[in-house]
Amino acid sequence: MRKKIVAGNWKMNMDYNEGISLFSEIVNMVRDEKKGDQVAVICAPFIHLNSLAQLSSGVVKIGAQNCHQNESGAYTGEISAKMIKSTGSDYVIIGHSERRQYFAETDVLLSEKTTTALKHNLTPIFCIGETLDERNSGSYFQVIERQLTDGVFNLSAEDFSKIVLAYEPVWAIGTGLTATPEQAQDIHAFIRAKIESKYGVNIADDTTILYGGSCNAKNAPELFAQHDIDGGLIGGASLKSRDFTDIVKALNS
Ligand code: 13P
């Protein structure tokens, strides 16, 4: 059975004290709402990882938003997968569209980062998704397929079964424009079919595929009710404890 996950992505928000206070609220609220093996994750800026891990009481998992592809060395300003793991974090977002767009991260680079993250027992949340131009020109299925092929389909079946995918249409991120449940389900089913042709039906069935892009407490129940949508990657709404908790609750829909 694939895992149901709601992961918050705080992006470049929350100073040290703000982060601690928001996270403490989230832990207290999510504790009462999360069922069974559902997973809630907060992917925070690096400065927060260790202190949040101490406060998490196992209720909310911790993730980073990026890692370097190399193990260690002279890469001023960068953070390695091993360092992230040592803070008590379990997840790392790789290939967010903001990294692809503003930091010129390519599929090949992201594939290296994924391999390094797995080596250090971090679960990559690997993001894919098309831009508005790609959606309008009708090339989005090819774009998604290329991102999968070049980014993660080089992994062994064993390694692939450890990753989480997130479909985040770039045109829906931070814009208030959400993909309709049908649009999102369409792509999620396509992604699962591609996984099935590469790795077989069992791994395809067990892969968690999250939706991200203006997901909120109101639209989450309908999105999460889709057959191939296994939770969400949440930006803006993860900065409010009530909204984030309500999205976790929507996993029960
Ligand atoms: P919003 O939920 O703010 O649209 O952001 C989505 C996202 O980029 C999560 O990684």
Side-chain angles (χ1 to χ4, degrees):
M1 267 299 284
R2 53 199 191 237
K3 264 191 199 144
K4 300 272 186 190
I5 301 177
V6 168
N9 175 9
W10 283 359
K11 308 193 180 184
M12 197 173 74
N13 293 295
M14 298 287 131
D15 71 18
Y16 188 75
N17 291 320
E18 289 166 346
I20 291 198
S21 119
L22 172 61
F23 187 77
S24 307
E25 282 175 28
I26 287 177
V27 169
N28 283 331
M29 293 167 84
V30 166
R31 181 183 275 119
D32 297 332
E33 303 295 351
K34 197 169 66 70
K35 300 251 170 12
D37 50 9
Q38 295 171 350
V39 180
V41 185
I42 289 293
C43 298
F46 295 124
I47 62 149
H48 294 296
L49 299 179
N50 187 243
S51 36
L52 301 195
Q54 317 273 336
L55 293 169
S56 70
S57 331
V59 174
V60 179
K61 301 281 186 187
I62 312 298
Q65 300 170 12
N66 178 33
C67 70
H68 197 268
Q69 65 275 21
N70 290 327
E71 293 288 328
S72 63
Y75 301 102
T76 301
E78 290 295 319
I79 311 272
S80 74
K82 184 166 183 244
M83 292 171 190
I84 293 168
K85 188 69 193 181
S86 75
T87 64
S89 301
D90 292 312
Y91 288 81
V92 58
I93 297 175
I94 293 181
H96 192 280
S97 61
E98 287 149 18
R99 302 282 328 162
R100 293 175 187 262
Q101 185 182 351
Y102 304 133
F103 302 94
E105 296 197 352
T106 61
D107 292 319
V108 172
L109 174 77
L110 298 171
S111 137
E112 289 172 23
K113 290 188 179 208
T114 303
T115 304
T116 309
L118 284 166
K119 188 169 163 197
H120 292 282
N121 295 318
L122 289 169
T123 300
I125 301 176
F126 191 89
C127 302
I128 55 182
E130 80 284 1
T131 62
L132 187 58
D133 281 353
E134 290 160 345
R135 162 103 358 208
N136 289 338
S137 72
S139 65
Y140 50 100
F141 284 114
Q142 288 100 296
V143 171
I144 304 282
E145 186 166 1
R146 190 208 68 225
Q147 291 171 336
L148 286 170
T149 304
D150 296 349
V152 287
F153 279 0
N154 61 319
L155 294 171
S156 66
E158 189 190 343
D159 274 349
F160 185 85
S161 62
K162 295 177 186 155
I163 75 170
V164 169
L165 291 174
Y167 168 59
E168 296 208 306
V170 180
W171 48 271
I173 295 178
T175 57
L177 278 177
T178 323
T180 63
E182 295 73 27
Q183 281 174 325
Q185 166 57 27
D186 224 26
I187 302 281
H188 281 233
F190 173 78
I191 294 169
R192 206 176 298 284
K194 290 289 150 196
I195 300 170
E196 183 176 339
S197 7
K198 173 75 189 170
Y199 294 105
V201 68
N202 292 342
I203 289 185
D205 268 354
D206 283 352
T207 304
T208 298
I209 310 176
L210 308 180
Y211 169 79
S214 298
C215 185
N216 56 39
K218 209 158 158 239
N219 59 30
E222 215 189 329
L223 284 160
F224 296 175
Q226 304 301 309
H227 183 257
D228 289 297
I229 301 182
D230 310 310
L233 183 54
I234 317 300
S238 73
L239 298 170
K240 298 200 178 106
S241 50
R242 182 73 264 159
D243 290 6
F244 183 74
T245 308
D246 285 347
I247 297 173
V248 173
K249 257 166 96 171
L251 283 177
N252 299 319
S253 49

